[in-house]
Amino acid sequence: MDKLKIKGGAPLQGQIQISGAKNSALPAMAATLLTAEEVTLENLPMVNDIITTRRLLRELGSEVEFPSNSSARLKTRNVISHEAPYELVKTMRASVLVLGPLLARSGRARVSMPGGCAIGARPIDLHIKGFEKLGASVATEYGYVEATAKRLKGANIVFEKITVTGTENLMMAATLAEGTTTLGNAALEPEVADLAQLLNKMGAKISGAGTSTITIEGVDTLHGAKHSIIPDRIEAGTFLAAGAMAGGDLELVSCDPGHLTSVISKFREAGVNIEEGKGRVRVRGGSPLRSADVVTHEYPGFATDMQAQYMALMTQANGISLITESIFENRFIHASELVRMGANIRIDGSRAVVAGKSRLTGATVIASDLRASASLVLAALVAKGVTTVDRIYHLDRGYEKLEEKLRSVGAHIDRVK
Ligand code: EPZ
């Protein structure tokens, strides 16, 4: 299993290009199942979750080609299988995003129940309730969700809780339903609006994406399209934390500061020097950091996918900061690994108390999930000595060429095969 070896202490100097958003690319690839015509996706991050999605789509009957290392051509002339098997879903929960398109396109879908993951139980009950509202009959047995419907019928659906992939799954299904669907208390994440843009290019009639009420007027068929995926705001946020912690002068390009408003304002509150421009953000590290409390929220609040990185940043801030995780019930696994590096963190349920500034030292640490692994890399960039991060397959799922990008701006980081 690959590991990363990082020698801390080097300031970061230079420019990093931000990749396309994983959490926009995954639903976009699933959406191509809705048409028999070809869809081209550009600015795709070549991360392992994209490779897993290609495998899944091919099993369902899609032709998927990567003509370059940041684009894909996808075509599903015929759906040859309706099943997203356990073997694939267990490696990537987002596989559940094929449920809506399969059901809408061919009236049947059988998807392995994702089950729990490191950060929480993560049920899909709200997805299922939504499909039932659209007239599907849904059974959950033998570890699978099996849904069937002659043709879905438009309905008014109000989510009891904001769910990103739930909103995306129902929005995709409703594009081919008979009549109009409204999704209330929908997710506001930029990835949802990006998916709606792709679907509208494919001939869908969606309005209100990016607001809490989305309206979808069903159509009979969808056609091919070309779409460029939005930049990855979580990757950009991760590099902002790296620059703030390691010192130096780092510029991020091909990113959208508008998607990072709450992250940037919280970082500024903590004393980070950030400059925004069109499609770019600049962070000049080295100024003393001060503690600042944060509560994770749905967009446009502070993203839970930035919580672990923020915890690493707060280990280098003077004072006590309180981090409250309000989205997932078990998303502090990284804390104990940071403590092994010398951080002072105490967990109390959904709250973490971080006392800083801590002098971190290199250690062998284990990554437990995608964002947790990013926080360990950040801590290693400022730790004295060498840190070995194990199980970085978690990192490879969602960060494209992380160590090459960091090395290109001066970090001492190597992958050990
Ligand atoms: C998406 O997951 C992202 N994944 C996650 O990013 C992100 O952490 C999360 O949204 C929140 O922002 C993708 O987009 C592929 P939710 P999702 O449904 O859609 C509960 C990363 O690091 N819930 O919005 O699965 C759920 O348990 C990943 O890139 C139900 O109770 O998250 C959670 O507490 C990790 N029933 C809350 O809602 C449901 O049917 C929000 O989950 C659905 C969700």
Side-chain angles (χ1 to χ4, degrees):
M1 235 187 280
D2 289 10
K3 302 174 197 290
L4 284 178
K5 276 201 179 298
I6 305 160
K7 184 165 177 300
L12 303 181
Q13 204 76 35
Q15 200 179 67
I16 289 181
Q17 171 113 19
I18 297 301
S19 301
K22 168 190 75 90
N23 289 347
S24 184
L26 299 179
M29 290 176 79
T32 65
L33 288 166
L34 289 162
T35 176
E37 296 183 18
E38 183 172 282
V39 176
T40 302
L41 297 177
E42 286 164 348
N43 200 31
L44 217 61
M46 276 311 155
V47 295
N48 286 354
D49 275 8
I50 300 292
I51 308 299
T52 307
T53 306
R54 174 177 66 178
R55 218 173 117 210
L56 172 58
L57 291 177
R58 283 182 169 162
E59 294 222 356
L60 301 174
S62 311
E63 295 152 43
V64 185
E65 302 310 327
F66 292 156
S68 77
N69 59 15
S70 64
S71 65
R73 272 202 303 267
L74 310 100
K75 190 172 193 171
T76 314
R77 294 168 210 270
N78 301 301
V79 174
I80 61 167
S81 161
H82 299 84
E83 182 165 321
Y86 171 71
E87 286 318 311
L88 282 176
V89 177
K90 78 172 181 190
T91 63
M92 184 188 70
R93 315 173 44 77
S95 310
V96 73
L97 286 164
V98 300
L99 215 164
L102 277 177
L103 188 55
R105 165 102 185 258
S106 58
R108 198 153 67 86
R110 182 176 152 77
V111 174
S112 169
M113 294 281 276
C117 91
I119 65 176
R122 303 184 74 180
I124 56 166
D125 56 319
L126 302 176
H127 299 233
I128 292 172
K129 281 186 191 143
F131 291 125
E132 286 171 337
K133 280 251 169 81
L134 292 178
S137 49
V138 186
T140 51
E141 52 187 6
Y142 308 110
Y144 278 75
V145 181
E146 180 117 23
T148 54
K150 269 213 179 54
R151 179 165 184 198
L152 297 171
K153 294 209 173 12
N156 298 329
I157 298 168
V158 180
F159 291 107
E160 291 154 39
K161 200 174 179 176
I162 294 176
T163 161
V164 177
T165 49
T167 301
E168 293 165 344
N169 230 339
L170 273 298
M171 185 167 72
M172 290 190 278
T175 56
L176 293 176
E178 197 180 313
T180 302
T181 298
T182 56
L183 300 179
N185 198 26
L188 309 179
E189 271 66 6
E191 294 77 24
V192 172
D194 197 34
L195 176 64
Q197 228 190 45
L198 164 63
L199 292 166
N200 281 343
K201 285 180 187 169
M202 293 167 66
K205 294 188 175 150
I206 302 173
S207 54
T211 77
S212 53
T213 304
I214 302 176
T215 304
I216 307 110
E217 211 186 306
V219 296
D220 293 339
T221 56
L222 294 175
H223 50 72
K226 203 174 189 167
H227 182 67
S228 185
I229 300 289
I230 56 172
D232 196 314
R233 61 193 166 97
I234 307 299
E235 184 197 19
T238 304
F239 285 126
L240 279 182
M245 292 170 72
D249 187 347
L250 192 58
E251 186 181 31
L252 309 180
V253 293
S254 306
C255 66
D256 185 341
H259 292 164
L260 284 162
T261 315
S262 57
V263 169
I264 291 175
S265 72
K266 185 52 69 178
F267 276 33
R268 284 188 173 133
E269 192 187 325
V272 182
N273 178 345
I274 294 178
E275 196 190 293
E276 298 164 65
K278 193 163 173 357
R280 51 175 286 280
V281 188
R282 183 176 177 190
V283 53
R284 273 175 276 188
S287 39
L289 298 171
R290 46 181 185 266
S291 59
D293 299 350
V294 75
V295 180
T296 62
H297 270 300
E298 296 87 355
Y299 193 87
F302 190 94
T304 172
D305 294 348
M306 277 299 299
Q307 179 257 99
Q309 300 91 316
Y310 188 73
M311 186 181 281
L313 181 75
M314 284 299 104
T315 66
Q316 299 308 296
N318 297 312
I320 309 277
S321 43
L322 183 63
I323 298 176
T324 307
E325 174 55 57
S326 75
I327 306 289
F328 292 109
E329 63 275 22
N330 188 30
R331 202 169 201 179
F332 286 142
I333 308 170
H334 42 281
S336 51
E337 294 301 292
L338 292 172
V339 167
R340 294 190 62 257
M341 296 178 72
N344 180 344
I345 305 169
R346 261 177 302 122
I347 306 294
D348 175 14
S350 63
R351 294 178 160 189
V353 179
V354 183
K357 168 177 183 165
S358 300
R359 182 176 153 278
L360 301 182
T361 48
T364 299
V365 290
I366 297 180
S368 51
D369 63 79
L370 172 59
R371 309 304 171 183
S373 32
S375 80
L376 302 179
V377 171
L378 294 176
L381 291 174
V382 296
K384 188 167 180 334
V386 174
T387 298
T388 303
V389 183
D390 204 344
R391 300 192 189 161
I392 54 167
Y393 55 83
H394 289 292
L395 205 66
D396 294 336
R397 290 192 48 192
Y399 286 95
E400 185 178 34
K401 299 194 180 105
L402 182 88
E403 77 265 20
E404 283 138 7
K405 290 186 180 185
L406 283 171
R407 207 167 31 237
S408 73
V409 291
H412 301 308
I413 179 167
D414 291 301
R415 178 179 291 253
V416 184
K417 291 231 169 275

mmCIF file with all atom_site columns, all heavy atoms in Angstrom, residues 34-35 151 175-176 202-204 219-223:
data_model
loop_
_atom_site.group_PDB
_atom_site.id
_atom_site.type_symbol
_atom_site.label_atom_id
_atom_site.label_alt_id
_atom_site.label_comp_id
_atom_site.label_asym_id
_atom_site.label_entity_id
_atom_site.label_seq_id
_atom_site.pdbx_PDB_ins_code
_atom_site.Cartn_x
_atom_site.Cartn_y
_atom_site.Cartn_z
_atom_site.occupancy
_atom_site.B_iso_or_equiv
_atom_site.pdbx_formal_charge
_atom_site.auth_seq_id
_atom_site.auth_comp_id
_atom_site.auth_asym_id
_atom_site.auth_atom_id
_atom_site.pdbx_PDB_model_num
ATOM 1  N N   . LEU A 1 34  ? -28.985 9.102  -18.610 1.00 0.00 ? 34  LEU A N   1
ATOM 2  C CA  . LEU A 1 34  ? -30.343 9.554  -18.930 1.00 0.00 ? 34  LEU A CA  1
ATOM 3  C C   . LEU A 1 34  ? -30.590 9.670  -20.433 1.00 0.00 ? 34  LEU A C   1
ATOM 4  O O   . LEU A 1 34  ? -31.725 9.862  -20.873 1.00 0.00 ? 34  LEU A O   1
ATOM 5  C CB  . LEU A 1 34  ? -30.608 10.910 -18.264 1.00 0.00 ? 34  LEU A CB  1
ATOM 6  C CG  . LEU A 1 34  ? -30.759 10.892 -16.741 1.00 0.00 ? 34  LEU A CG  1
ATOM 7  C CD1 . LEU A 1 34  ? -30.571 12.290 -16.168 1.00 0.00 ? 34  LEU A CD1 1
ATOM 8  C CD2 . LEU A 1 34  ? -32.117 10.335 -16.346 1.00 0.00 ? 34  LEU A CD2 1
ATOM 9  N N   . THR A 1 35  ? -29.532 9.608  -21.249 1.00 0.00 ? 35  THR A N   1
ATOM 10 C CA  . THR A 1 35  ? -29.694 9.752  -22.694 1.00 0.00 ? 35  THR A CA  1
ATOM 11 C C   . THR A 1 35  ? -28.916 8.666  -23.435 1.00 0.00 ? 35  THR A C   1
ATOM 12 O O   . THR A 1 35  ? -27.936 8.134  -22.919 1.00 0.00 ? 35  THR A O   1
ATOM 13 C CB  . THR A 1 35  ? -29.189 11.141 -23.184 1.00 0.00 ? 35  THR A CB  1
ATOM 14 O OG1 . THR A 1 35  ? -29.286 11.190 -24.607 1.00 0.00 ? 35  THR A OG1 1
ATOM 15 C CG2 . THR A 1 35  ? -27.743 11.387 -22.777 1.00 0.00 ? 35  THR A CG2 1
ATOM 16 N N   . ARG A 1 151 ? -43.434 4.737  -15.551 1.00 0.00 ? 151 ARG A N   1
ATOM 17 C CA  . ARG A 1 151 ? -42.870 6.064  -15.814 1.00 0.00 ? 151 ARG A CA  1
ATOM 18 C C   . ARG A 1 151 ? -43.077 6.873  -14.546 1.00 0.00 ? 151 ARG A C   1
ATOM 19 O O   . ARG A 1 151 ? -44.155 6.875  -13.949 1.00 0.00 ? 151 ARG A O   1
ATOM 20 C CB  . ARG A 1 151 ? -43.539 6.755  -17.000 1.00 0.00 ? 151 ARG A CB  1
ATOM 21 C CG  . ARG A 1 151 ? -42.920 8.147  -17.224 1.00 0.00 ? 151 ARG A CG  1
ATOM 22 C CD  . ARG A 1 151 ? -43.234 8.779  -18.540 1.00 0.00 ? 151 ARG A CD  1
ATOM 23 N NE  . ARG A 1 151 ? -42.497 10.050 -18.639 1.00 0.00 ? 151 ARG A NE  1
ATOM 24 C CZ  . ARG A 1 151 ? -42.800 11.011 -19.491 1.00 0.00 ? 151 ARG A CZ  1
ATOM 25 N NH1 . ARG A 1 151 ? -43.830 10.857 -20.314 1.00 0.00 ? 151 ARG A NH1 1
ATOM 26 N NH2 . ARG A 1 151 ? -42.099 12.133 -19.537 1.00 0.00 ? 151 ARG A NH2 1
ATOM 27 N N   . THR A 1 175 ? -36.212 14.621 -14.305 1.00 0.00 ? 175 THR A N   1
ATOM 28 C CA  . THR A 1 175 ? -36.081 15.210 -15.651 1.00 0.00 ? 175 THR A CA  1
ATOM 29 C C   . THR A 1 175 ? -36.907 14.442 -16.684 1.00 0.00 ? 175 THR A C   1
ATOM 30 O O   . THR A 1 175 ? -37.370 15.037 -17.665 1.00 0.00 ? 175 THR A O   1
ATOM 31 C CB  . THR A 1 175 ? -34.612 15.198 -16.114 1.00 0.00 ? 175 THR A CB  1
ATOM 32 O OG1 . THR A 1 175 ? -34.132 13.851 -16.065 1.00 0.00 ? 175 THR A OG1 1
ATOM 33 C CG2 . THR A 1 175 ? -33.742 16.101 -15.273 1.00 0.00 ? 175 THR A CG2 1
ATOM 34 N N   . LEU A 1 176 ? -37.081 13.119 -16.475 1.00 0.00 ? 176 LEU A N   1
ATOM 35 C CA  . LEU A 1 176 ? -37.831 12.303 -17.452 1.00 0.00 ? 176 LEU A CA  1
ATOM 36 C C   . LEU A 1 176 ? -39.198 11.867 -16.912 1.00 0.00 ? 176 LEU A C   1
ATOM 37 O O   . LEU A 1 176 ? -39.870 11.019 -17.479 1.00 0.00 ? 176 LEU A O   1
ATOM 38 C CB  . LEU A 1 176 ? -37.006 11.063 -17.838 1.00 0.00 ? 176 LEU A CB  1
ATOM 39 C CG  . LEU A 1 176 ? -35.716 11.313 -18.635 1.00 0.00 ? 176 LEU A CG  1
ATOM 40 C CD1 . LEU A 1 176 ? -34.960 10.011 -18.856 1.00 0.00 ? 176 LEU A CD1 1
ATOM 41 C CD2 . LEU A 1 176 ? -36.008 11.997 -19.967 1.00 0.00 ? 176 LEU A CD2 1
ATOM 42 N N   . MET A 1 202 ? -28.660 19.157 -21.698 1.00 0.00 ? 202 MET A N   1
ATOM 43 C CA  . MET A 1 202 ? -29.121 17.893 -22.298 1.00 0.00 ? 202 MET A CA  1
ATOM 44 C C   . MET A 1 202 ? -30.603 17.961 -22.665 1.00 0.00 ? 202 MET A C   1
ATOM 45 O O   . MET A 1 202 ? -31.179 16.979 -23.105 1.00 0.00 ? 202 MET A O   1
ATOM 46 C CB  . MET A 1 202 ? -28.869 16.735 -21.312 1.00 0.00 ? 202 MET A CB  1
ATOM 47 C CG  . MET A 1 202 ? -27.398 16.422 -21.054 1.00 0.00 ? 202 MET A CG  1
ATOM 48 S SD  . MET A 1 202 ? -27.152 15.345 -19.627 1.00 0.00 ? 202 MET A SD  1
ATOM 49 C CE  . MET A 1 202 ? -27.921 13.808 -20.183 1.00 0.00 ? 202 MET A CE  1
ATOM 50 N N   . GLY A 1 203 ? -31.218 19.133 -22.410 1.00 0.00 ? 203 GLY A N   1
ATOM 51 C CA  . GLY A 1 203 ? -32.625 19.301 -22.805 1.00 0.00 ? 203 GLY A CA  1
ATOM 52 C C   . GLY A 1 203 ? -33.611 19.248 -21.658 1.00 0.00 ? 203 GLY A C   1
ATOM 53 O O   . GLY A 1 203 ? -34.828 19.271 -21.874 1.00 0.00 ? 203 GLY A O   1
ATOM 54 N N   . ALA A 1 204 ? -33.110 19.180 -20.416 1.00 0.00 ? 204 ALA A N   1
ATOM 55 C CA  . ALA A 1 204 ? -34.019 19.164 -19.265 1.00 0.00 ? 204 ALA A CA  1
ATOM 56 C C   . ALA A 1 204 ? -34.575 20.569 -19.023 1.00 0.00 ? 204 ALA A C   1
ATOM 57 O O   . ALA A 1 204 ? -34.055 21.547 -19.577 1.00 0.00 ? 204 ALA A O   1
ATOM 58 C CB  . ALA A 1 204 ? -33.278 18.676 -18.021 1.00 0.00 ? 204 ALA A CB  1
ATOM 59 N N   . VAL A 1 219 ? -39.535 15.929 -19.240 1.00 0.00 ? 219 VAL A N   1
ATOM 60 C CA  . VAL A 1 219 ? -39.567 15.860 -20.711 1.00 0.00 ? 219 VAL A CA  1
ATOM 61 C C   . VAL A 1 219 ? -39.517 14.385 -21.114 1.00 0.00 ? 219 VAL A C   1
ATOM 62 O O   . VAL A 1 219 ? -39.236 13.519 -20.288 1.00 0.00 ? 219 VAL A O   1
ATOM 63 C CB  . VAL A 1 219 ? -38.367 16.625 -21.330 1.00 0.00 ? 219 VAL A CB  1
ATOM 64 C CG1 . VAL A 1 219 ? -38.448 18.114 -21.014 1.00 0.00 ? 219 VAL A CG1 1
ATOM 65 C CG2 . VAL A 1 219 ? -37.046 16.024 -20.846 1.00 0.00 ? 219 VAL A CG2 1
ATOM 66 N N   . ASP A 1 220 ? -39.786 14.109 -22.414 1.00 0.00 ? 220 ASP A N   1
ATOM 67 C CA  . ASP A 1 220 ? -39.824 12.702 -22.852 1.00 0.00 ? 220 ASP A CA  1
ATOM 68 C C   . ASP A 1 220 ? -38.434 12.115 -23.051 1.00 0.00 ? 220 ASP A C   1
ATOM 69 O O   . ASP A 1 220 ? -38.182 10.957 -22.711 1.00 0.00 ? 220 ASP A O   1
ATOM 70 C CB  . ASP A 1 220 ? -40.630 12.584 -24.152 1.00 0.00 ? 220 ASP A CB  1
ATOM 71 C CG  . ASP A 1 220 ? -42.101 12.904 -23.897 1.00 0.00 ? 220 ASP A CG  1
ATOM 72 O OD1 . ASP A 1 220 ? -42.517 12.796 -22.711 1.00 0.00 ? 220 ASP A OD1 1
ATOM 73 O OD2 . ASP A 1 220 ? -42.796 13.312 -24.849 1.00 0.00 ? 220 ASP A OD2 1
ATOM 74 N N   . THR A 1 221 ? -37.534 12.905 -23.629 1.00 0.00 ? 221 THR A N   1
ATOM 75 C CA  . THR A 1 221 ? -36.169 12.390 -23.840 1.00 0.00 ? 221 THR A CA  1
ATOM 76 C C   . THR A 1 221 ? -35.142 13.500 -23.608 1.00 0.00 ? 221 THR A C   1
ATOM 77 O O   . THR A 1 221 ? -35.480 14.690 -23.671 1.00 0.00 ? 221 THR A O   1
ATOM 78 C CB  . THR A 1 221 ? -35.971 11.907 -25.303 1.00 0.00 ? 221 THR A CB  1
ATOM 79 O OG1 . THR A 1 221 ? -36.300 13.025 -26.145 1.00 0.00 ? 221 THR A OG1 1
ATOM 80 C CG2 . THR A 1 221 ? -36.799 10.697 -25.612 1.00 0.00 ? 221 THR A CG2 1
ATOM 81 N N   . LEU A 1 222 ? -33.894 13.077 -23.374 1.00 0.00 ? 222 LEU A N   1
ATOM 82 C CA  . LEU A 1 222 ? -32.778 14.012 -23.259 1.00 0.00 ? 222 LEU A CA  1
ATOM 83 C C   . LEU A 1 222 ? -31.769 13.713 -24.357 1.00 0.00 ? 222 LEU A C   1
ATOM 84 O O   . LEU A 1 222 ? -31.764 12.604 -24.902 1.00 0.00 ? 222 LEU A O   1
ATOM 85 C CB  . LEU A 1 222 ? -32.134 13.903 -21.876 1.00 0.00 ? 222 LEU A CB  1
ATOM 86 C CG  . LEU A 1 222 ? -33.017 14.351 -20.705 1.00 0.00 ? 222 LEU A CG  1
ATOM 87 C CD1 . LEU A 1 222 ? -32.322 14.078 -19.366 1.00 0.00 ? 222 LEU A CD1 1
ATOM 88 C CD2 . LEU A 1 222 ? -33.361 15.845 -20.802 1.00 0.00 ? 222 LEU A CD2 1
ATOM 89 N N   . HIS A 1 223 ? -30.921 14.688 -24.682 1.00 0.00 ? 223 HIS A N   1
ATOM 90 C CA  . HIS A 1 223 ? -29.962 14.475 -25.778 1.00 0.00 ? 223 HIS A CA  1
ATOM 91 C C   . HIS A 1 223 ? -28.535 14.707 -25.284 1.00 0.00 ? 223 HIS A C   1
ATOM 92 O O   . HIS A 1 223 ? -28.293 15.025 -24.113 1.00 0.00 ? 223 HIS A O   1
ATOM 93 C CB  . HIS A 1 223 ? -30.286 15.421 -26.944 1.00 0.00 ? 223 HIS A CB  1
ATOM 94 C CG  . HIS A 1 223 ? -30.445 16.852 -26.541 1.00 0.00 ? 223 HIS A CG  1
ATOM 95 N ND1 . HIS A 1 223 ? -29.381 17.641 -26.157 1.00 0.00 ? 223 HIS A ND1 1
ATOM 96 C CD2 . HIS A 1 223 ? -31.564 17.629 -26.414 1.00 0.00 ? 223 HIS A CD2 1
ATOM 97 C CE1 . HIS A 1 223 ? -29.819 18.849 -25.836 1.00 0.00 ? 223 HIS A CE1 1
ATOM 98 N NE2 . HIS A 1 223 ? -31.143 18.877 -25.987 1.00 0.00 ? 223 HIS A NE2 1
#
